[in-house]
Amino acid sequence: MGVVEAPEVIVAASREEAVSAFGDGSDVTVVAGGTIVMPEITHGRLRPRKALLIGRAGLSGVRSEGGRTTVGATTSVADLQDAVEPLGTCARGLADLEIRGQATLGGNLCAPPGAESPRGDLQAALLVLDAQVRSTGAGGERTEPVEDFLAAGPAGRLVLDVELADPDAGASASVRRPHAHTYTIMRVCAARVGGELRVAVSGAGPIAVRSRAVEGAVAGGADSAAAAERVLDDVTPHDDALASSWYRSRTLPVLVRRALDDLR
Amino acid sequence: MRLTVNGTEHQVVAPALTTLLHVLREELFVTSPKAGCQQGGCGACTVLVDGQPRRSCLLPVGAVEGAQVTTVEGLGAPDDLSGVQAAFHEHYAAQCGFCTSGFVMATQALVERGDGDIEREEVIEALGGHLCRCTGYVKIVDAVTAAVRGDTSPQDASADTDPQGDDAVTLLPGSPA
């Protein structure tokens, strides 16, 4: 712990500067809110050769237009607490007051799986809200569904903004530790977007995933309880410091059923 | 780079990726924020940056160039306590004191937010990112609730124990603290 040298540190003052400095992302460490990356740097686990600080590059802000909401990548989680459901609930449940003020949507989207506990608390909400991720990197700027972004991984991409649908309805159910250090162990998000049901799970694997098995069961007429059992077709829960795979497997269908019931 | 701490402007020489916590403590000798977990989970490093409560151990100093940083040293003095400090003093909300600076700055932010009519449960929720190993939290919550509600008498409180009397020596010459 102490003075941290890096050969090159760029504090981007504009979107253009951030995009240009990022280039194809090779050998660049992006620092937005710093809540995940800074401990890695200060403890010496990550030694950036080139660090790009994007907190002041004008990439924050929430804009609604024509039934969709565009959220800048460095928008703080605190500023998402009143966003469309279930994103608002996910944001309110993240960490604590100070961390919510510093953590960003983009950082959460790009969060690597934590060794001790799940990260990416907002990913399930983005999945059910039909989020489209605009990013830059090798090959320039592109927009893709959040599911594809998560599957490919954030390496080599700088997230610029995320565009969300305004759903007909949104709901979520979660298992959380109470009071201080409220880690969300596992969360199920559900939403109806343009009449279509979407269900996603976070905290039961390295990234959040959509459960098409549950969605299909509901479309096929199954009740919440029966549809909820199908979630384990799409998710294989893991062990970590917060909960065992066994516990997650038992609890997950309950969360799915609750989210589906809240949505009706 | 420039950084204003408790109203005094400084030129910081540390490289941009050095944490604000390290700059405050080791370069500027502002030692009230503490290095606890050093990964943003304990709250002992909390300071105000442009009025907002932030984990200084998670902030690269390059990201806050030109900002106004406030620490406990900028709130009051032993013989002139701020409302928040008076509340902590009156309610005996500190034991070893390691977490206290973080709690005080978080409380200062709550007070400035202006939620005068706050409920105890809301205080507990707002302080959820701060750990204390000594007190069991009850008196801290008492103090914070009183501070946010304005139930303190700073004019009647003094923490000036003045152990060295009239021969008190400044321990850190040149310290802005």
Side-chain angles (χ1 to χ4, degrees):
Chain A
M1 274 296 297
V3 167
V4 180
E5 300 280 359
E8 194 180 352
V9 179
I10 298 163
V11 182
S14 69
R15 181 191 174 110
E16 293 69 37
E17 192 182 346
V19 170
S20 156
F22 185 78
D24 65 4
S26 51
D27 239 10
V28 179
T29 300
V30 175
V31 182
T35 56
I36 293 174
V37 170
M38 283 306 290
E40 301 298 302
I41 293 173
T42 57
H43 291 260
R45 291 187 290 265
L46 177 62
R47 297 178 198 276
R49 291 174 39 78
K50 180 174 171 182
L52 175 58
L53 276 50
I54 59 169
R56 290 174 158 182
L59 293 171
S60 304
V62 181
R63 203 175 70 242
S64 282
E65 209 174 299
R68 289 189 72 89
T69 304
T70 303
V71 182
T74 60
T75 305
S76 70
V77 174
D79 286 344
L80 293 174
Q81 291 179 115
D82 295 322
V84 293
E85 286 299 315
L87 182 59
T89 295
C90 290
R92 286 191 298 275
L94 190 150
D96 59 64
L97 188 150
E98 288 96 353
I99 294 290
R100 287 194 290 274
Q102 294 181 244
T104 65
L105 177 67
N108 203 273
L109 181 56
C110 298
E116 305 85 28
S117 57
R119 294 206 181 108
D121 314 41
L122 307 182
Q123 292 175 5
L126 297 182
L127 279 166
V128 302
L129 291 172
D130 187 29
Q132 303 293 318
V133 179
R134 184 177 355 255
S135 67
T136 184
E141 217 173 278
R142 71 171 185 242
T143 301
E144 64 198 311
V146 64
E147 195 168 10
D148 295 349
F149 183 89
L150 286 171
R157 306 306 301 174
L158 172 68
V159 177
L160 297 172
D161 58 55
V162 178
E163 198 186 277
L164 313 167
D166 284 341
D168 310 328
S172 84
S174 66
V175 181
R176 303 174 72 210
R177 287 177 60 186
H179 292 297
H181 290 80
T182 46
Y183 289 110
T184 300
I185 297 170
M186 211 163 44
R187 185 185 291 280
V188 172
C189 287
R192 216 168 275 284
V193 174
E196 186 196 349
L197 172 69
R198 293 162 163 261
V199 177
V201 179
S202 69
I207 54 171
V209 292
R210 223 173 125 175
S211 179
R212 287 183 169 78
V214 170
E215 295 168 9
V218 171
D223 65 21
S224 309
E229 292 299 320
R230 303 297 311 281
V231 71
L232 294 173
D233 294 356
D234 291 317
V235 175
T236 307
H238 63 293
D239 287 315
D240 68 16
L242 290 183
S244 64
S245 162
W246 176 89
Y247 178 82
R248 285 185 154 96
S249 302
R250 299 290 292 253
T251 316
L252 187 52
V254 176
L255 297 182
V256 175
R257 181 175 50 74
R258 287 183 189 169
L260 290 176
D261 286 342
D262 280 348
L263 197 62
R264 283 178 204 282
Chain B
M1 54 160 277
R2 280 180 312 114
L3 193 66
T4 302
V5 181
N6 298 323
T8 303
E9 189 172 294
H10 298 271
Q11 277 298 120
V12 168
V13 300
L17 276 191
T18 309
T19 65
L20 175 62
L21 177 65
H22 183 89
V23 168
L24 286 170
R25 290 184 55 82
E26 306 296 337
E27 188 175 334
L28 301 178
F29 306 114
V30 176
T31 54
S32 70
K34 300 290 180 274
C37 71
Q38 296 170 110
Q39 53 187 14
C42 75
C45 70
T46 304
V47 299
L48 300 188
V49 178
D50 293 331
Q52 298 300 314
R54 293 285 182 263
R55 297 281 144 78
S56 62
C57 75
L58 296 178
L59 277 175
V61 72
V64 294
E65 168 149 29
Q68 305 269 345
V69 177
T70 312
T71 69
V72 168
E73 290 88 342
L75 290 187
D79 58 355
D80 182 23
L81 297 177
S82 70
V84 173
Q85 290 167 313
F88 273 67
H89 184 69
E90 286 161 27
H91 293 270
Y92 196 56
Q95 289 183 27
C96 81
F98 198 82
C99 71
T100 308
S101 162
F103 270 109
V104 166
M105 297 320 295
T107 309
Q108 182 66 26
L110 277 182
V111 167
E112 288 178 10
R113 207 171 70 186
D115 283 336
D117 209 9
I118 200 165
E119 294 296 328
R120 201 176 170 84
E121 272 303 311
E122 293 173 82
V123 167
I124 291 170
E125 171 72 31
L127 299 177
H130 293 262
L131 290 174
C132 171
R133 298 294 284 149
C134 295
T135 66
Y137 300 101
V138 173
K139 292 193 177 296
I140 294 176
V141 176
D142 290 347
V144 176
T145 307
V148 177
R149 289 181 183 168
D151 277 345
T152 72
S153 319
Q155 67 280 5
D156 296 336
S158 172
D160 186 9
T161 55
D162 199 12
Q164 295 169 301
D166 292 328
D167 299 318
V169 173
T170 308
L171 294 172
L172 288 170
S175 166

